[in-house]
Each structure stands twice: as C-alpha cells, then as structure tokens.
Amino acid sequence: MSTTMNSSLDTTMSTVATAPDIRARRSTAHRPTTYLRSEWLRTIRNRRFFVFSLVIPLVLLLVIAGPNRNQTLGGLPFATYYMTGMVAWGSMAAVIAGGARIAAERSVGWNRQLRVTPLRPSVYLATKVATGYALASISIVLLYAAGISLGVRMPFGRWFEMSGLILVGLIPFAALGVVLGHLLTVDSMGPAMGGITSLFGLLGGAWGPIADHGVMRALGEGLPSYWLVQSGRVGLGGGAWPARAWIVVAVWSIVLVRVAVWAHRRDTGKV
Amino acid sequence: MTPHQAPPPAGGIRLSGLKKSFGSVTAVAGIDLVLAPGETVALLGPNGAGKSTTLDLLLGLLDPDSGEIAVFGQSPAQAVADGRVVAMLQTGSLIQYLTVRELVETVASLYPCPRPVEEALELAGLSRLQDRWTQKLSGGEAQRVRFACAVVANADLLVLDEPTVALDVESRRDFWAALRRIAGEGRTIVFATHYMEEAEAFADRIVLMADGRIVADGSTSEITAMVGTRTIRATLPDVSMDDLRSVAGVVGVERHGDTIVLTCNDSDRALRALLADHTTISDIEVRSGGLEQAFLELTAEATR
C-alpha cells in the first residue's frame, strides 16, 4: 500500500500559496452574461421549439379569429378572447420548453460536466427559466401584433396590465418545465409537452370558453392556464383576476417550484 | 507493498482513507494518495478497479462513505466552485446549436481567470474548426473540443478520464504534446487511461488500481522493478524446451525459430547457467518486464 501520506498535512498550506501564481498570469475579464447568451442562441437556433410556442398559435389565431372577428366569445370580442387564448397556450409551451431542455443536456452528460465547473445550480436553473420567458415574450409580442391586425383594441396601459398577469401566470409552467426536464427523457419530451400544453390549454379555455357551471368549470377555474386566458378580460375594464385567480396561481406556483427543486436535487444528488 | 518509499513532495491533493460502496459493491476500498502540485499522474487499472469512482470522488461528484479529500487545502466542491479544478469527462456528445468557438467561450466564461479562447483552440488543434457546429463534428473532433474546454478553464488541477479515446494516432500525438505544454506550466494532471504506453510515456507517476485499492504507486521503472521479472532473449539453436525450462531462475519459455525468450524471476542466475551449459548461445539481451507485464501481474495478485 502507498505510504505517501506522511508529510502531506504540513505542506498543504505552501501549495495554496503557490497555486494562484499560475492563475494570475492569464487573468481576463469574467463575463457572466456569456452563459446566458449562449443559452439563448441555443434556444432560438433549435427551431422545433418555435412550432408549439409560436407557429401553431399564430396560425390558429389568424385562421380562426380572422373570419370571426366581429363575433364575441366568452363575453369578449372574438379576436381578443382568441388572442389571449393563443398567448396563454404559446407562452405556456415556451416556458415549459425552457426547463425541458434540461432533458437534452442530461442525455449527453452535459449536466455532469457543468457540475464540475464553477457554475452554480441556481444560475443554471435561472438561465433556463429566463430563456423560457424570453421565448414566451417573443411569442406574446407577435401574437399581440397579430391580434391588433385583427382589430383587438384596448387602452395602452391595459396591454401592460395583461402582460403582467400573463408573466405571473406562467410561473407554475416554468417550474413544470424544470420538473419535466429532470424527470423525462428527450424521447418522451415531445409527446409529454404536446399533451400537457394541450390539456392545460383545452381545460383552461384557450380554444374556446369552458362550460358555465359543473365539474369542468370547477376544474378549469382551478388551473393556472384558465387565468392566463382570463387575463384578456383587462380589456373590459376592471380587474381580470379576482382573489381566487391569485390563490390558484400562487398554490400551483408553490407546489410546482417545490417539485422542481426536489427533481433538481434528485437528479444532481450524488449518484 | 510500498513502492513509493521516499517521502512525497509538497501535498497538493490528498486522499486519505477513502471508501465508497454502491449497495453491496465496494468500488473504492480504502485509498490513501498524495499528489504533489505539478505532477502528471496516470491512474491505471482494469475495468471495475475503481478508477472512475476515485475520479468522481476527487471531483466532488460523489461523496465518500468515509475518508477525506483535500484539493489544494479545500473540499472538492469548493475547489470546483473556485475554478481550481477542471475535468474532461467521458460524455455522450456535445451540446448542440453552438459553434466550437461559442462552446469554448461559454465554458471560459464560467471560470474566474480563463485562458484566452484563441490559445485554447490552438492548443487543441481546433483553430480551423472553430466555426463548425458542435453537432457536425466527428468523435475525434468532439474529443478535441472537450480538451479545449478543459484547457480554457486555466485550472490548477486537470482531471482527464480516458482523454484519448476516439482519437486517431496523429491526434493522440498532438494531444499529448499539448498536455506536456500544460504540465510544463506547473499544473497537476491526473488521467485515467487504458493505454499502458501512454501512461508509460507521459506520466511522472503511475498509480495502479485493482479491486478498489492501490496496488502499486511509483514511476514506470519503480513499478516494473516491483514485479522483478526480466526476460532473456538470445539466439540458441538445437536446444529442447524442456532443457530451457529446467534452468534455474527461469519461469517461462518461448521459442521462435532459433530465438529463445525466457521469462525469469532470477535472470542473473539463469544467465550464468545458460553461459556455462550452452557455448553456442549468442545475441543475448536482458530486459526488465514492461509496464504491461507488471500491470498484469500486480492486478492479478491483488484480485487473487
């Protein structure tokens, strides 16, 4: 057996003193934004992610709300309702996709590689959420533009109020993306994302109002996607979200953020 | 068995009493090892010897069941967080949708004082490929990118797991030339490899593992000396294999035409007997067994 332990403890300190000399020689600026930038580039270069978050919602909005622009839907002008429905659906897909990309990185061992760099796990997750939100913002702005072209009108300040509600309403879905990214494989991600966004969209009334009463109504009002769609009601004046909405979104957010933290720890736990 | 008797130089990295089991499987069964700053150390051993687990423990990817690790006086996790350690792990493929240069820049941005990206690309032989998409690279090119990412970190300790896998002969030569340059900057390098000749050629020190333990630790010549076998090669026609086998000190016999190859546990004694009994013997060479021979004998001994 090796007997090389003897003089190690007393010499460790001198090692610490000499090591920084090597490092100081080549010091260059440390740019924390570079990681965020490359994450963003990787997101927008992978065009598959645009299909659910942007292309399909935009096409549906133009094809369905276009011919019906003079109708009303769920007590709102048709185009306004449908625009917020598609915004809800598309932005939901965008923020879920942010976290879902973790699955692709896990599959090639990149997470493991990142764990032996100084990148903090919190920054890693925050970057995923931030890119998801950035993608959602593009989707929201383009769908607003399409909505305006179809005759959606509301006071200037109301657009911001609506956007604020949507960004808050997306929190549980951003957390859900992280959960999926840690629990699912790349292969199952496509169907899982399609299924989940469709289900939340459908039950939340993204494609048309849900039933006025009964089980589906109760279920729908318990979903954060319902309140995403309802944020379009700011156009009618008054608050779009009653206290119930805030509670629903808060509960979903707290639960899913906790599950996301658990999933992250489970995945990066010492295996 | 104490191959490394001399007191070690200053301890940069210290592993003491390290143990790690997975369920009923013991991966690391008690390791004590001190690496001096600036040493290039090869970790050798058969599959399942505990090399990867040892590297994972050193990097803080795993926590030991018992024992301690100090990397430049810090815990592995802290040393990693401070950017003093960089690892080239075996991974499936690179992340997609970035150019080679962008990926290396990204990794560089994570470290407190990275090496210039240009220099890392050049060291890894990637200057001409820097604008290529990471998903369009061959296995060998991807391996060069991993190396560039390790180099750009400008860390004090480089941990390389099978670094030359997927590299062709020429790339392998380039890789070791680059690694020599980095070692020359005073960095500590630990690499696991299956290629005996690479360990022999590039490491200052070889740590041989089997069954979760260190079975030998020293320079190539120290380790080969531990085994004590030598081979005598000579030209000797008209002698029976049985005659050769009966020579004192000989443990193995091979014959290729007129050439005999004798594996000896006491080559001096065997040589005296051969010279006395066979006047026609010529072209005599005596060699110590190679590292490979030592590797096989020492690991077999440990697992017996």
mmCIF file with all atom_site columns, all heavy atoms in Angstrom, chain B residues 261-284:
data_model
loop_
_atom_site.group_PDB
_atom_site.id
_atom_site.type_symbol
_atom_site.label_atom_id
_atom_site.label_alt_id
_atom_site.label_comp_id
_atom_site.label_asym_id
_atom_site.label_entity_id
_atom_site.label_seq_id
_atom_site.pdbx_PDB_ins_code
_atom_site.Cartn_x
_atom_site.Cartn_y
_atom_site.Cartn_z
_atom_site.occupancy
_atom_site.B_iso_or_equiv
_atom_site.pdbx_formal_charge
_atom_site.auth_seq_id
_atom_site.auth_comp_id
_atom_site.auth_asym_id
_atom_site.auth_atom_id
_atom_site.pdbx_PDB_model_num
ATOM 1   N N   . VAL B 1 261 ? 13.126 -16.975 -25.816 1.00 0.00 ? 261 VAL B N   1
ATOM 2   C CA  . VAL B 1 261 ? 12.732 -15.885 -24.917 1.00 0.00 ? 261 VAL B CA  1
ATOM 3   C C   . VAL B 1 261 ? 12.387 -16.514 -23.568 1.00 0.00 ? 261 VAL B C   1
ATOM 4   O O   . VAL B 1 261 ? 11.457 -17.320 -23.472 1.00 0.00 ? 261 VAL B O   1
ATOM 5   C CB  . VAL B 1 261 ? 11.513 -15.111 -25.467 1.00 0.00 ? 261 VAL B CB  1
ATOM 6   C CG1 . VAL B 1 261 ? 11.139 -13.980 -24.513 1.00 0.00 ? 261 VAL B CG1 1
ATOM 7   C CG2 . VAL B 1 261 ? 11.794 -14.574 -26.856 1.00 0.00 ? 261 VAL B CG2 1
ATOM 8   N N   . LEU B 1 262 ? 13.182 -16.187 -22.562 1.00 0.00 ? 262 LEU B N   1
ATOM 9   C CA  . LEU B 1 262 ? 12.988 -16.791 -21.251 1.00 0.00 ? 262 LEU B CA  1
ATOM 10  C C   . LEU B 1 262 ? 12.496 -15.729 -20.269 1.00 0.00 ? 262 LEU B C   1
ATOM 11  O O   . LEU B 1 262 ? 13.104 -14.670 -20.138 1.00 0.00 ? 262 LEU B O   1
ATOM 12  C CB  . LEU B 1 262 ? 14.317 -17.367 -20.733 1.00 0.00 ? 262 LEU B CB  1
ATOM 13  C CG  . LEU B 1 262 ? 15.070 -18.305 -21.672 1.00 0.00 ? 262 LEU B CG  1
ATOM 14  C CD1 . LEU B 1 262 ? 16.404 -18.718 -21.052 1.00 0.00 ? 262 LEU B CD1 1
ATOM 15  C CD2 . LEU B 1 262 ? 14.231 -19.527 -21.984 1.00 0.00 ? 262 LEU B CD2 1
ATOM 16  N N   . THR B 1 263 ? 11.393 -16.013 -19.605 1.00 0.00 ? 263 THR B N   1
ATOM 17  C CA  . THR B 1 263 ? 10.923 -15.122 -18.541 1.00 0.00 ? 263 THR B CA  1
ATOM 18  C C   . THR B 1 263 ? 11.534 -15.636 -17.243 1.00 0.00 ? 263 THR B C   1
ATOM 19  O O   . THR B 1 263 ? 11.412 -16.826 -16.940 1.00 0.00 ? 263 THR B O   1
ATOM 20  C CB  . THR B 1 263 ? 9.389  -15.149 -18.461 1.00 0.00 ? 263 THR B CB  1
ATOM 21  O OG1 . THR B 1 263 ? 8.877  -14.876 -19.758 1.00 0.00 ? 263 THR B OG1 1
ATOM 22  C CG2 . THR B 1 263 ? 8.875  -14.104 -17.480 1.00 0.00 ? 263 THR B CG2 1
ATOM 23  N N   . CYS B 1 264 ? 12.206 -14.737 -16.520 1.00 0.00 ? 264 CYS B N   1
ATOM 24  C CA  . CYS B 1 264 ? 12.982 -15.186 -15.363 1.00 0.00 ? 264 CYS B CA  1
ATOM 25  C C   . CYS B 1 264 ? 12.580 -14.442 -14.099 1.00 0.00 ? 264 CYS B C   1
ATOM 26  O O   . CYS B 1 264 ? 12.333 -13.248 -14.127 1.00 0.00 ? 264 CYS B O   1
ATOM 27  C CB  . CYS B 1 264 ? 14.470 -14.908 -15.578 1.00 0.00 ? 264 CYS B CB  1
ATOM 28  S SG  . CYS B 1 264 ? 15.079 -15.513 -17.148 1.00 0.00 ? 264 CYS B SG  1
ATOM 29  N N   . ASN B 1 265 ? 12.581 -15.160 -12.981 1.00 0.00 ? 265 ASN B N   1
ATOM 30  C CA  . ASN B 1 265 ? 12.445 -14.457 -11.711 1.00 0.00 ? 265 ASN B CA  1
ATOM 31  C C   . ASN B 1 265 ? 13.831 -14.206 -11.109 1.00 0.00 ? 265 ASN B C   1
ATOM 32  O O   . ASN B 1 265 ? 13.962 -13.453 -10.154 1.00 0.00 ? 265 ASN B O   1
ATOM 33  C CB  . ASN B 1 265 ? 11.519 -15.199 -10.746 1.00 0.00 ? 265 ASN B CB  1
ATOM 34  C CG  . ASN B 1 265 ? 11.968 -16.610 -10.507 1.00 0.00 ? 265 ASN B CG  1
ATOM 35  O OD1 . ASN B 1 265 ? 13.099 -16.979 -10.841 1.00 0.00 ? 265 ASN B OD1 1
ATOM 36  N ND2 . ASN B 1 265 ? 11.086 -17.426 -9.938  1.00 0.00 ? 265 ASN B ND2 1
ATOM 37  N N   . ASP B 1 266 ? 14.869 -14.853 -11.670 1.00 0.00 ? 266 ASP B N   1
ATOM 38  C CA  . ASP B 1 266 ? 16.247 -14.560 -11.276 1.00 0.00 ? 266 ASP B CA  1
ATOM 39  C C   . ASP B 1 266 ? 17.109 -14.641 -12.532 1.00 0.00 ? 266 ASP B C   1
ATOM 40  O O   . ASP B 1 266 ? 17.682 -15.691 -12.867 1.00 0.00 ? 266 ASP B O   1
ATOM 41  C CB  . ASP B 1 266 ? 16.725 -15.555 -10.211 1.00 0.00 ? 266 ASP B CB  1
ATOM 42  C CG  . ASP B 1 266 ? 18.097 -15.173 -9.658  1.00 0.00 ? 266 ASP B CG  1
ATOM 43  O OD1 . ASP B 1 266 ? 18.786 -14.338 -10.299 1.00 0.00 ? 266 ASP B OD1 1
ATOM 44  O OD2 . ASP B 1 266 ? 18.465 -15.705 -8.603  1.00 0.00 ? 266 ASP B OD2 1
ATOM 45  N N   . SER B 1 267 ? 17.173 -13.547 -13.244 1.00 0.00 ? 267 SER B N   1
ATOM 46  C CA  . SER B 1 267 ? 17.820 -13.571 -14.563 1.00 0.00 ? 267 SER B CA  1
ATOM 47  C C   . SER B 1 267 ? 19.338 -13.744 -14.452 1.00 0.00 ? 267 SER B C   1
ATOM 48  O O   . SER B 1 267 ? 19.964 -14.334 -15.328 1.00 0.00 ? 267 SER B O   1
ATOM 49  C CB  . SER B 1 267 ? 17.483 -12.284 -15.328 1.00 0.00 ? 267 SER B CB  1
ATOM 50  O OG  . SER B 1 267 ? 17.878 -11.165 -14.581 1.00 0.00 ? 267 SER B OG  1
ATOM 51  N N   . ASP B 1 268 ? 19.918 -13.251 -13.362 1.00 0.00 ? 268 ASP B N   1
ATOM 52  C CA  . ASP B 1 268 ? 21.376 -13.390 -13.197 1.00 0.00 ? 268 ASP B CA  1
ATOM 53  C C   . ASP B 1 268 ? 21.783 -14.870 -13.102 1.00 0.00 ? 268 ASP B C   1
ATOM 54  O O   . ASP B 1 268 ? 22.695 -15.329 -13.773 1.00 0.00 ? 268 ASP B O   1
ATOM 55  C CB  . ASP B 1 268 ? 21.847 -12.660 -11.936 1.00 0.00 ? 268 ASP B CB  1
ATOM 56  C CG  . ASP B 1 268 ? 21.631 -11.165 -12.041 1.00 0.00 ? 268 ASP B CG  1
ATOM 57  O OD1 . ASP B 1 268 ? 21.516 -10.676 -13.197 1.00 0.00 ? 268 ASP B OD1 1
ATOM 58  O OD2 . ASP B 1 268 ? 21.554 -10.491 -11.006 1.00 0.00 ? 268 ASP B OD2 1
ATOM 59  N N   . ARG B 1 269 ? 21.039 -15.567 -12.300 1.00 0.00 ? 269 ARG B N   1
ATOM 60  C CA  . ARG B 1 269 ? 21.315 -16.977 -12.105 1.00 0.00 ? 269 ARG B CA  1
ATOM 61  C C   . ARG B 1 269 ? 21.086 -17.756 -13.401 1.00 0.00 ? 269 ARG B C   1
ATOM 62  O O   . ARG B 1 269 ? 21.891 -18.618 -13.790 1.00 0.00 ? 269 ARG B O   1
ATOM 63  C CB  . ARG B 1 269 ? 20.372 -17.496 -11.021 1.00 0.00 ? 269 ARG B CB  1
ATOM 64  C CG  . ARG B 1 269 ? 20.883 -18.743 -10.363 1.00 0.00 ? 269 ARG B CG  1
ATOM 65  C CD  . ARG B 1 269 ? 20.006 -19.035 -9.165  1.00 0.00 ? 269 ARG B CD  1
ATOM 66  N NE  . ARG B 1 269 ? 20.115 -20.441 -8.859  1.00 0.00 ? 269 ARG B NE  1
ATOM 67  C CZ  . ARG B 1 269 ? 19.227 -21.107 -8.118  1.00 0.00 ? 269 ARG B CZ  1
ATOM 68  N NH1 . ARG B 1 269 ? 18.171 -20.463 -7.650  1.00 0.00 ? 269 ARG B NH1 1
ATOM 69  N NH2 . ARG B 1 269 ? 19.390 -22.370 -7.866  1.00 0.00 ? 269 ARG B NH2 1
ATOM 70  N N   . ALA B 1 270 ? 19.996 -17.445 -14.069 1.00 0.00 ? 270 ALA B N   1
ATOM 71  C CA  . ALA B 1 270 ? 19.671 -18.133 -15.320 1.00 0.00 ? 270 ALA B CA  1
ATOM 72  C C   . ALA B 1 270 ? 20.756 -17.885 -16.361 1.00 0.00 ? 270 ALA B C   1
ATOM 73  O O   . ALA B 1 270 ? 21.161 -18.797 -17.102 1.00 0.00 ? 270 ALA B O   1
ATOM 74  C CB  . ALA B 1 270 ? 18.318 -17.660 -15.836 1.00 0.00 ? 270 ALA B CB  1
ATOM 75  N N   . LEU B 1 271 ? 21.241 -16.669 -16.393 1.00 0.00 ? 271 LEU B N   1
ATOM 76  C CA  . LEU B 1 271 ? 22.240 -16.297 -17.395 1.00 0.00 ? 271 LEU B CA  1
ATOM 77  C C   . LEU B 1 271 ? 23.555 -17.049 -17.163 1.00 0.00 ? 271 LEU B C   1
ATOM 78  O O   . LEU B 1 271 ? 24.160 -17.568 -18.107 1.00 0.00 ? 271 LEU B O   1
ATOM 79  C CB  . LEU B 1 271 ? 22.473 -14.784 -17.311 1.00 0.00 ? 271 LEU B CB  1
ATOM 80  C CG  . LEU B 1 271 ? 23.120 -14.107 -18.510 1.00 0.00 ? 271 LEU B CG  1
ATOM 81  C CD1 . LEU B 1 271 ? 22.352 -14.410 -19.791 1.00 0.00 ? 271 LEU B CD1 1
ATOM 82  C CD2 . LEU B 1 271 ? 23.155 -12.598 -18.276 1.00 0.00 ? 271 LEU B CD2 1
ATOM 83  N N   . ARG B 1 272 ? 23.931 -17.151 -15.901 1.00 0.00 ? 272 ARG B N   1
ATOM 84  C CA  . ARG B 1 272 ? 25.170 -17.889 -15.590 1.00 0.00 ? 272 ARG B CA  1
ATOM 85  C C   . ARG B 1 272 ? 25.041 -19.330 -16.051 1.00 0.00 ? 272 ARG B C   1
ATOM 86  O O   . ARG B 1 272 ? 25.957 -19.888 -16.663 1.00 0.00 ? 272 ARG B O   1
ATOM 87  C CB  . ARG B 1 272 ? 25.445 -17.855 -14.081 1.00 0.00 ? 272 ARG B CB  1
ATOM 88  C CG  . ARG B 1 272 ? 26.122 -16.581 -13.641 1.00 0.00 ? 272 ARG B CG  1
ATOM 89  C CD  . ARG B 1 272 ? 26.584 -16.661 -12.199 1.00 0.00 ? 272 ARG B CD  1
ATOM 90  N NE  . ARG B 1 272 ? 26.525 -15.341 -11.617 1.00 0.00 ? 272 ARG B NE  1
ATOM 91  C CZ  . ARG B 1 272 ? 25.579 -14.927 -10.778 1.00 0.00 ? 272 ARG B CZ  1
ATOM 92  N NH1 . ARG B 1 272 ? 24.611 -15.750 -10.387 1.00 0.00 ? 272 ARG B NH1 1
ATOM 93  N NH2 . ARG B 1 272 ? 25.588 -13.702 -10.331 1.00 0.00 ? 272 ARG B NH2 1
ATOM 94  N N   . ALA B 1 273 ? 23.896 -19.937 -15.767 1.00 0.00 ? 273 ALA B N   1
ATOM 95  C CA  . ALA B 1 273 ? 23.690 -21.341 -16.142 1.00 0.00 ? 273 ALA B CA  1
ATOM 96  C C   . ALA B 1 273 ? 23.688 -21.506 -17.657 1.00 0.00 ? 273 ALA B C   1
ATOM 97  O O   . ALA B 1 273 ? 24.301 -22.437 -18.191 1.00 0.00 ? 273 ALA B O   1
ATOM 98  C CB  . ALA B 1 273 ? 22.368 -21.825 -15.553 1.00 0.00 ? 273 ALA B CB  1
ATOM 99  N N   . LEU B 1 274 ? 23.052 -20.577 -18.343 1.00 0.00 ? 274 LEU B N   1
ATOM 100 C CA  . LEU B 1 274 ? 22.974 -20.672 -19.808 1.00 0.00 ? 274 LEU B CA  1
ATOM 101 C C   . LEU B 1 274 ? 24.367 -20.566 -20.428 1.00 0.00 ? 274 LEU B C   1
ATOM 102 O O   . LEU B 1 274 ? 24.721 -21.323 -21.327 1.00 0.00 ? 274 LEU B O   1
ATOM 103 C CB  . LEU B 1 274 ? 22.080 -19.543 -20.364 1.00 0.00 ? 274 LEU B CB  1
ATOM 104 C CG  . LEU B 1 274 ? 20.580 -19.709 -20.182 1.00 0.00 ? 274 LEU B CG  1
ATOM 105 C CD1 . LEU B 1 274 ? 19.857 -18.411 -20.534 1.00 0.00 ? 274 LEU B CD1 1
ATOM 106 C CD2 . LEU B 1 274 ? 20.051 -20.852 -21.049 1.00 0.00 ? 274 LEU B CD2 1
ATOM 107 N N   . LEU B 1 275 ? 25.172 -19.625 -19.935 1.00 0.00 ? 275 LEU B N   1
ATOM 108 C CA  . LEU B 1 275 ? 26.507 -19.409 -20.494 1.00 0.00 ? 275 LEU B CA  1
ATOM 109 C C   . LEU B 1 275 ? 27.412 -20.603 -20.201 1.00 0.00 ? 275 LEU B C   1
ATOM 110 O O   . LEU B 1 275 ? 28.252 -20.982 -21.020 1.00 0.00 ? 275 LEU B O   1
ATOM 111 C CB  . LEU B 1 275 ? 27.120 -18.119 -19.925 1.00 0.00 ? 275 LEU B CB  1
ATOM 112 C CG  . LEU B 1 275 ? 26.478 -16.836 -20.463 1.00 0.00 ? 275 LEU B CG  1
ATOM 113 C CD1 . LEU B 1 275 ? 26.916 -15.626 -19.648 1.00 0.00 ? 275 LEU B CD1 1
ATOM 114 C CD2 . LEU B 1 275 ? 26.846 -16.636 -21.938 1.00 0.00 ? 275 LEU B CD2 1
ATOM 115 N N   . ALA B 1 276 ? 27.215 -21.223 -19.058 1.00 0.00 ? 276 ALA B N   1
ATOM 116 C CA  . ALA B 1 276 ? 28.035 -22.375 -18.696 1.00 0.00 ? 276 ALA B CA  1
ATOM 117 C C   . ALA B 1 276 ? 27.672 -23.603 -19.523 1.00 0.00 ? 276 ALA B C   1
ATOM 118 O O   . ALA B 1 276 ? 28.544 -24.343 -19.982 1.00 0.00 ? 276 ALA B O   1
ATOM 119 C CB  . ALA B 1 276 ? 27.861 -22.668 -17.211 1.00 0.00 ? 276 ALA B CB  1
ATOM 120 N N   . ASP B 1 277 ? 26.369 -23.807 -19.758 1.00 0.00 ? 277 ASP B N   1
ATOM 121 C CA  . ASP B 1 277 ? 25.924 -25.054 -20.393 1.00 0.00 ? 277 ASP B CA  1
ATOM 122 C C   . ASP B 1 277 ? 25.836 -24.980 -21.911 1.00 0.00 ? 277 ASP B C   1
ATOM 123 O O   . ASP B 1 277 ? 25.854 -26.002 -22.581 1.00 0.00 ? 277 ASP B O   1
ATOM 124 C CB  . ASP B 1 277 ? 24.537 -25.448 -19.861 1.00 0.00 ? 277 ASP B CB  1
ATOM 125 C CG  . ASP B 1 277 ? 24.566 -25.723 -18.373 1.00 0.00 ? 277 ASP B CG  1
ATOM 126 O OD1 . ASP B 1 277 ? 25.689 -25.874 -17.844 1.00 0.00 ? 277 ASP B OD1 1
ATOM 127 O OD2 . ASP B 1 277 ? 23.493 -25.739 -17.757 1.00 0.00 ? 277 ASP B OD2 1
ATOM 128 N N   . HIS B 1 278 ? 25.659 -23.759 -22.472 1.00 0.00 ? 278 HIS B N   1
ATOM 129 C CA  . HIS B 1 278 ? 25.427 -23.647 -23.915 1.00 0.00 ? 278 HIS B CA  1
ATOM 130 C C   . HIS B 1 278 ? 26.432 -22.686 -24.514 1.00 0.00 ? 278 HIS B C   1
ATOM 131 O O   . HIS B 1 278 ? 26.228 -21.482 -24.511 1.00 0.00 ? 278 HIS B O   1
ATOM 132 C CB  . HIS B 1 278 ? 24.007 -23.152 -24.189 1.00 0.00 ? 278 HIS B CB  1
ATOM 133 C CG  . HIS B 1 278 ? 22.956 -24.038 -23.598 1.00 0.00 ? 278 HIS B CG  1
ATOM 134 N ND1 . HIS B 1 278 ? 22.531 -25.192 -24.193 1.00 0.00 ? 278 HIS B ND1 1
ATOM 135 C CD2 . HIS B 1 278 ? 22.259 -23.942 -22.440 1.00 0.00 ? 278 HIS B CD2 1
ATOM 136 C CE1 . HIS B 1 278 ? 21.611 -25.770 -23.443 1.00 0.00 ? 278 HIS B CE1 1
ATOM 137 N NE2 . HIS B 1 278 ? 21.436 -25.021 -22.365 1.00 0.00 ? 278 HIS B NE2 1
ATOM 138 N N   . THR B 1 279 ? 27.512 -23.220 -25.036 1.00 0.00 ? 279 THR B N   1
ATOM 139 C CA  . THR B 1 279 ? 28.581 -22.373 -25.568 1.00 0.00 ? 279 THR B CA  1
ATOM 140 C C   . THR B 1 279 ? 28.176 -21.679 -26.860 1.00 0.00 ? 279 THR B C   1
ATOM 141 O O   . THR B 1 279 ? 28.776 -20.685 -27.257 1.00 0.00 ? 279 THR B O   1
ATOM 142 C CB  . THR B 1 279 ? 29.860 -23.194 -25.827 1.00 0.00 ? 279 THR B CB  1
ATOM 143 O OG1 . THR B 1 279 ? 29.495 -24.361 -26.564 1.00 0.00 ? 279 THR B OG1 1
ATOM 144 C CG2 . THR B 1 279 ? 30.540 -23.563 -24.527 1.00 0.00 ? 279 THR B CG2 1
ATOM 145 N N   . THR B 1 280 ? 27.124 -22.187 -27.512 1.00 0.00 ? 280 THR B N   1
ATOM 146 C CA  . THR B 1 280 ? 26.729 -21.592 -28.793 1.00 0.00 ? 280 THR B CA  1
ATOM 147 C C   . THR B 1 280 ? 25.770 -20.414 -28.619 1.00 0.00 ? 280 THR B C   1
ATOM 148 O O   . THR B 1 280 ? 25.354 -19.805 -29.600 1.00 0.00 ? 280 THR B O   1
ATOM 149 C CB  . THR B 1 280 ? 26.026 -22.640 -29.681 1.00 0.00 ? 280 THR B CB  1
ATOM 150 O OG1 . THR B 1 280 ? 24.950 -23.200 -28.928 1.00 0.00 ? 280 THR B OG1 1
ATOM 151 C CG2 . THR B 1 280 ? 26.992 -23.721 -30.104 1.00 0.00 ? 280 THR B CG2 1
ATOM 152 N N   . ILE B 1 281 ? 25.398 -20.101 -27.399 1.00 0.00 ? 281 ILE B N   1
ATOM 153 C CA  . ILE B 1 281 ? 24.416 -19.015 -27.187 1.00 0.00 ? 281 ILE B CA  1
ATOM 154 C C   . ILE B 1 281 ? 25.015 -17.670 -27.626 1.00 0.00 ? 281 ILE B C   1
ATOM 155 O O   . ILE B 1 281 ? 26.188 -17.382 -27.400 1.00 0.00 ? 281 ILE B O   1
ATOM 156 C CB  . ILE B 1 281 ? 23.933 -18.988 -25.719 1.00 0.00 ? 281 ILE B CB  1
ATOM 157 C CG1 . ILE B 1 281 ? 22.700 -18.081 -25.574 1.00 0.00 ? 281 ILE B CG1 1
ATOM 158 C CG2 . ILE B 1 281 ? 25.053 -18.538 -24.773 1.00 0.00 ? 281 ILE B CG2 1
ATOM 159 C CD1 . ILE B 1 281 ? 21.987 -18.251 -24.240 1.00 0.00 ? 281 ILE B CD1 1
ATOM 160 N N   . SER B 1 282 ? 24.187 -16.858 -28.307 1.00 0.00 ? 282 SER B N   1
ATOM 161 C CA  . SER B 1 282 ? 24.686 -15.564 -28.803 1.00 0.00 ? 282 SER B CA  1
ATOM 162 C C   . SER B 1 282 ? 23.558 -14.538 -28.803 1.00 0.00 ? 282 SER B C   1
ATOM 163 O O   . SER B 1 282 ? 22.398 -14.873 -28.516 1.00 0.00 ? 282 SER B O   1
ATOM 164 C CB  . SER B 1 282 ? 25.233 -15.729 -30.226 1.00 0.00 ? 282 SER B CB  1
ATOM 165 O OG  . SER B 1 282 ? 24.217 -16.214 -31.075 1.00 0.00 ? 282 SER B OG  1
ATOM 166 N N   . ASP B 1 283 ? 23.893 -13.298 -29.138 1.00 0.00 ? 283 ASP B N   1
ATOM 167 C CA  . ASP B 1 283 ? 22.926 -12.190 -29.229 1.00 0.00 ? 283 ASP B CA  1
ATOM 168 C C   . ASP B 1 283 ? 22.074 -12.045 -27.960 1.00 0.00 ? 283 ASP B C   1
ATOM 169 O O   . ASP B 1 283 ? 20.854 -11.868 -28.035 1.00 0.00 ? 283 ASP B O   1
ATOM 170 C CB  . ASP B 1 283 ? 21.950 -12.390 -30.428 1.00 0.00 ? 283 ASP B CB  1
ATOM 171 C CG  . ASP B 1 283 ? 22.690 -12.551 -31.735 1.00 0.00 ? 283 ASP B CG  1
ATOM 172 O OD1 . ASP B 1 283 ? 23.771 -11.948 -31.859 1.00 0.00 ? 283 ASP B OD1 1
ATOM 173 O OD2 . ASP B 1 283 ? 22.197 -13.280 -32.604 1.00 0.00 ? 283 ASP B OD2 1
ATOM 174 N N   . ILE B 1 284 ? 22.717 -12.098 -26.814 1.00 0.00 ? 284 ILE B N   1
ATOM 175 C CA  . ILE B 1 284 ? 21.948 -12.101 -25.556 1.00 0.00 ? 284 ILE B CA  1
ATOM 176 C C   . ILE B 1 284 ? 21.467 -10.691 -25.188 1.00 0.00 ? 284 ILE B C   1
ATOM 177 O O   . ILE B 1 284 ? 22.228 -9.731  -25.220 1.00 0.00 ? 284 ILE B O   1
ATOM 178 C CB  . ILE B 1 284 ? 22.800 -12.662 -24.401 1.00 0.00 ? 284 ILE B CB  1
ATOM 179 C CG1 . ILE B 1 284 ? 23.274 -14.078 -24.750 1.00 0.00 ? 284 ILE B CG1 1
ATOM 180 C CG2 . ILE B 1 284 ? 22.009 -12.663 -23.085 1.00 0.00 ? 284 ILE B CG2 1
ATOM 181 C CD1 . ILE B 1 284 ? 24.321 -14.614 -23.811 1.00 0.00 ? 284 ILE B CD1 1
#
